[in-house]
Amino acid sequence: MQQNLLTEIRRFFLHGSVLSRLIGINLAVFLILSLVRVIFFLFSLGRAGDMLSGWLAVPSHLPEVLSKPWTLISYMFLHFELLHLFFNMVVLYVGGRLFSDFIGKERLTPTYLIGGLFGALFYILSFNIFPAFSDVVSHSVALGASASVLAIFIAIAVYMPEFRLPLLIIGSVRLKYIALFFVIIDIISIDK
């Protein structure tokens, strides 16, 4: 049974679609880090979440970014909360399917990575420019696939703005309005 599981995991990462690999990497990182956090908790080894976010999340403090350049990539696969992961993966799946079908699956990974890099740079610049963040810039970090996922969704919404996506309860909504909703939610969440 263990051999079958390993075979399925290997097949998933070697032969799965680009979209399934991106989702799989996010899920695997979440599961591994959650397991590490539980082990740290059970053996009273301190707060693993703080240690891991300090090592993998992108910091807003410029000198720290320069000393941890890998965080510009690692942060976009890092989630500590299940709902954050779930929401990002649902939007990635829906947007990624449309993106792969209409723009091309070969462009999905570069869009994910470039969107994440621009999200990190925007975060770093914002925390170093706006006075509202001056008290927290030295210890604030960002994590999650939100910027990458939003880049994919906005790309497909720009490519096919009038395409209608059926949503539960609401009904059919144009992609441009869904993308606009996501951007507005991100903007009004800045002070949270």
Side-chain angles (χ1 to χ4, degrees), residues 9-21 105:
I9 291 171
R10 190 176 307 121
R11 185 176 314 162
F12 176 81
F13 281 105
L14 296 178
H15 304 294
S17 70
V18 173
L19 178 59
S20 65
R21 287 184 202 162
K105 61 185 172 192

Side-chain angles (χ1 to χ4, degrees), residues 153 160-179 181:
F153 206 92
M160 301 178 6
E162 300 303 320
F163 184 85
R164 292 182 167 273
L165 193 63
L167 299 177
L168 293 174
I169 301 170
I170 299 172
S172 181
V173 180
R174 290 186 176 104
L175 283 180
K176 64 183 178 184
Y177 297 128
I178 298 171
F181 174 77

